Amino acid sequence: MSTATKDHAALSDIFNADEARVNWHDDTLWFVRAKRDKAAHTLPEWERLRDTASQIKDNVLSNLHDYLLQFESNAQHNGITVHWAADAAAHNRIVHEILNDNGIRQLIKSKSMLTEECHLNEYLKEQGVDVIDTDLGERIVQLAEEPPSHIVLPCIHKKKEEIGTLFHEHLGTPEGMSDPVFLTAAARLHLREKFMTRRAAITGVNFAVAETGEFVVCTNEGNADMGAHLADVHIACMGIEKIIPQRTHLSVFLRLLARSATGQPITTYSSHFSKPRPGQQMHIILVDNGRTTQLGREDFRNSLKCIRCGACMNTCPVYRRSGGHSYHTAIAGPIGSILAPNLDMKKYADLPFASTLCGSCTNVCPVKINIHEQLYKWRQVIVKEGYASPAKTIAMKTMDFTLSHPAVYQKAGKAGRWFLKHIPFAVNNRMNAWYKQRDMPEPPKQSFREWFKENNTMQKNNSDE
Ligand code: SF4
């Protein structure tokens, strides 16, 4: 299997080969999760904020059409050019057309998971357009020719020594230098030249306000602002679910977003873009790409409430120990495993199974998405639609037959105990993935049924009487 066709389990094996990295990745993300807890506990109204955010998003999803049109009208009134894209291909084409119209072949881009979802960088490269990512983490993975592994912390899987080597190769920093302060200064110098010379800047959108036609971009590095303010052409790319009705609602979402993402009280830069500066072009592309399909799936529509904070990833025991790349989709982790099957059920049929269903993701989600319940529901849909792997289908059918026939169940139990005791390698071998990471259990001497027959004193007493 090539990396492109491997499923979550196979890709996790690759990540798990480096146990020290897995432990460090796990600890780091748990540290971020703990920071989130502390930040949440400082606000007595935290749960009320989550409820309010969830209700605002409920309202948005029920009136999406109207809010989008209201936003379009107000944005146009402000001088912003609004484009609509039905899918990723249309989104990429629109970006390219805007660049072509302005004779631009080089641009800078701040963090936007939507552009990752649409594979914009790859598309523009094919068209001969050079894109430089300006978020530090994104620039690091771009230099490494890898996708981001986390929506907030794109290079969380990389050690500082690896980043030092990358910078040495690409930016000419001294060999062996891995001091984060030094490397950040080197990245700043490298990016400053791009900010000063590139005429187009792409940003994502965290929130778009229907009543004002403005949009808000949150970053900790100020790179979106720097790019958008200096460029002649600013293109903002936005999933249609990012709309909120009123500016006042930002007070709810901005408080939740930063605390849930990194434990900060507020994101360093929450910049409002409401109109182009004189002489500048400002475009916004409103992208569907499967969102209206998801909206129509009753059990899964709540996933569109997501504000991309990453908290569900930081808390997920499977994500922490399998790494973001094992999800083979732009948005990894629990929320990605709900969103991806909507785009391609066959390709992402493995993802809803990459969960313990412990519910920790649901507990931390600032907009109260019932993530683990949706993962469980996707499993049912995937099995029903015939997309579960053949091995899983056969195993589940066998289990179904065995559990519904008591005589078969008893015989299978007896045979299993005998095998475990006398020829354990028949079960514990390379063919059985279950034992790759597990120890063999001691086979019990008897089944519970046999034990119960021997020890059921009530029955014994009755027969003695
Ligand atoms: S699903 Fe919830 S916790 Fe996960 S990224 Fe989205 S908003 Fe954050």
Side-chain angles (χ1 to χ4, degrees):
M1 257 195 292
S2 75
T3 310
T5 53
K6 282 189 162 85
D7 66 5
H8 178 268
L11 291 165
S12 303
D13 272 352
I14 298 172
F15 188 71
N16 275 268
D18 184 348
E19 200 173 336
R21 186 189 301 270
V22 175
N23 291 339
W24 164 84
H25 187 262
D26 185 358
D27 290 347
T28 308
L29 288 165
W30 188 250
F31 172 74
V32 181
R33 151 81 211 250
K35 269 179 76 189
R36 170 259 172 219
D37 290 351
K38 269 192 207 140
H41 292 152
T42 59
L43 291 185
E45 69 274 31
W46 182 254
E47 287 307 317
R48 199 142 46 86
L49 278 175
R50 288 178 75 209
D51 278 334
T52 309
S54 179
Q55 285 163 15
I56 294 169
K57 285 284 184 179
D58 274 333
N59 176 299
V60 167
L61 296 181
S62 302
N63 301 284
L64 191 57
H65 173 85
D66 295 335
Y67 287 131
L68 284 169
L69 291 181
Q70 188 188 3
F71 174 79
E72 180 188 41
S73 160
N74 287 327
Q76 285 171 339
H77 187 254
N78 295 344
I80 303 173
T81 308
V82 181
H83 308 259
W84 297 84
D87 54 24
H91 164 265
N92 294 347
R93 210 168 40 243
I94 291 167
V95 172
H96 191 219
E97 278 165 14
I98 297 169
L99 297 173
N100 269 350
D101 289 348
N102 288 280
I104 293 173
R105 314 296 297 165
Q106 295 182 322
L107 61 94
I108 47 173
K109 179 165 80 67
S110 65
K111 185 126 69 64
S112 152
M113 288 318 296
L114 177 70
T115 59
E116 296 293 335
E117 177 187 319
C118 297
H119 301 289
L120 178 69
N121 281 18
E122 294 89 324
Y123 170 84
L124 289 178
K125 196 174 171 191
E126 281 168 20
Q127 311 305 316
V129 177
D130 184 48
V131 185
I132 297 280
D133 282 308
T134 58
D135 173 272
L136 179 55
E138 293 253 328
R139 184 66 184 134
I140 290 165
V141 289
Q142 189 180 32
L143 291 175
E145 297 183 5
E146 291 174 7
S149 68
H150 187 290
I151 58 176
V152 175
L153 312 159
C155 68
I156 190 69
H157 60 289
K158 285 223 169 299
K159 295 176 187 167
K160 62 181 183 187
E161 290 77 16
E162 292 168 323
I163 297 167
T165 306
L166 266 178
F167 277 28
H168 169 64
E169 286 166 7
H170 295 273
L171 309 184
T173 53
E175 193 170 4
M177 171 55 78
S178 60
D179 174 47
V181 177
F182 182 89
L183 296 179
T184 306
R188 183 177 285 151
L189 267 183
H190 156 70
L191 289 172
R192 185 158 301 250
E193 188 264 328
K194 311 293 178 199
F195 284 122
M196 302 300 286
T197 54
R198 302 218 159 180
R199 290 178 46 228
I202 291 182
T203 67
V205 171
N206 289 88
F207 306 99
V209 183
E211 72 167 353
T212 61
E214 75 196 284
F215 57 90
V216 177
V217 183
C218 304
T219 71
N220 277 325
E221 297 167 21
N223 56 312
D225 313 70
M226 184 99 139
H229 291 148
L230 289 172
D232 299 336
V233 180
H234 175 188
I235 307 170
C237 305
M238 167 188 146
I240 53 174
E241 81 284 13
K242 292 292 174 72
I243 205 93
I244 58 170
Q246 296 166 13
R247 186 185 270 168
T248 186
H249 294 149
L250 285 168
S251 62
V252 176
F253 290 106
L254 291 177
R255 295 176 87 195
L256 286 168
L257 176 62
R259 286 178 173 87
S260 300
T262 56
Q264 293 166 253
I266 189 82
T267 314
T268 313
Y269 300 88
S270 296
S271 304
H272 297 234
F273 294 91
S274 54
K275 60 180 178 189
R277 64 163 201 274
Q280 187 193 36
Q281 287 177 36
M282 188 177 280
H283 299 261
I284 186 159
I285 310 175
L286 306 178
V287 185
D288 183 334
N289 202 35
R291 284 159 177 78
T292 46
T293 309
Q294 188 84 323
L295 189 65
R297 296 185 197 272
E298 204 186 330
D299 289 334
F300 305 110
R301 73 199 298 266
N302 275 354
S303 59
L304 295 172
K305 292 181 178 179
C306 177
I307 57 171
R308 306 285 192 267
C309 71
C312 56
M313 298 172 192
N314 303 340
T315 200
C316 176
V318 176
Y319 175 87
R320 293 202 317 269
R321 296 201 69 82
S322 61
H325 291 158
S326 64
Y327 291 80
H328 59 97
T329 177
I331 299 176
I335 184 64
S337 302
I338 297 172
L339 297 173
N342 174 57
L343 290 175
D344 187 337
M345 209 184 293
K346 187 173 176 204
K347 185 172 174 192
Y348 300 116
D350 56 317
L351 294 186
F353 295 90
S355 167
T356 60
L357 301 184
C358 65
S360 185
C361 46
T362 302
N363 288 342
V364 298
C365 178
V367 284
K368 293 206 155 179
I369 301 172
N370 54 338
I371 306 171
H372 73 295
E373 288 172 9
Q374 292 191 35
L375 286 166
Y376 180 53
K377 288 213 163 115
W378 263 125
R379 293 182 187 188
Q380 295 164 35
V381 174
I382 283 163
V383 169
K384 204 165 153 206
E385 298 288 327
Y387 290 123
S389 70
K392 203 182 287 288
T393 308
I394 293 168
M396 287 300 123
K397 284 207 166 130
T398 310
M399 190 63 96
D400 178 26
F401 179 79
T402 309
L403 292 178
S404 27
H405 295 82
V408 178
Y409 175 73
Q410 282 172 41
K411 285 205 168 60
K414 207 168 236 171
R417 287 194 297 282
W418 189 87
F419 273 109
L420 280 175
K421 190 169 174 195
H422 298 288
I423 42 173
F425 55 86
V427 184
N428 183 13
N429 57 49
R430 285 160 59 91
M431 307 280 287
N432 189 346
W434 182 256
Y435 284 110
K436 270 194 203 161
Q437 314 283 340
R438 294 175 178 84
D439 294 328
M440 288 280 285
E442 271 291 315
K445 288 190 181 60
Q446 56 189 166
S447 69
F448 173 73
R449 178 182 284 266
E450 289 162 350
W451 176 90
F452 190 72
K453 257 191 193 161
E454 276 177 31
N455 294 277
N456 185 357
T457 46
M458 207 189 308
Q459 199 180 33
K460 266 191 196 162
N461 292 345
N462 285 347
S463 54
D464 289 348
E465 277 169 10

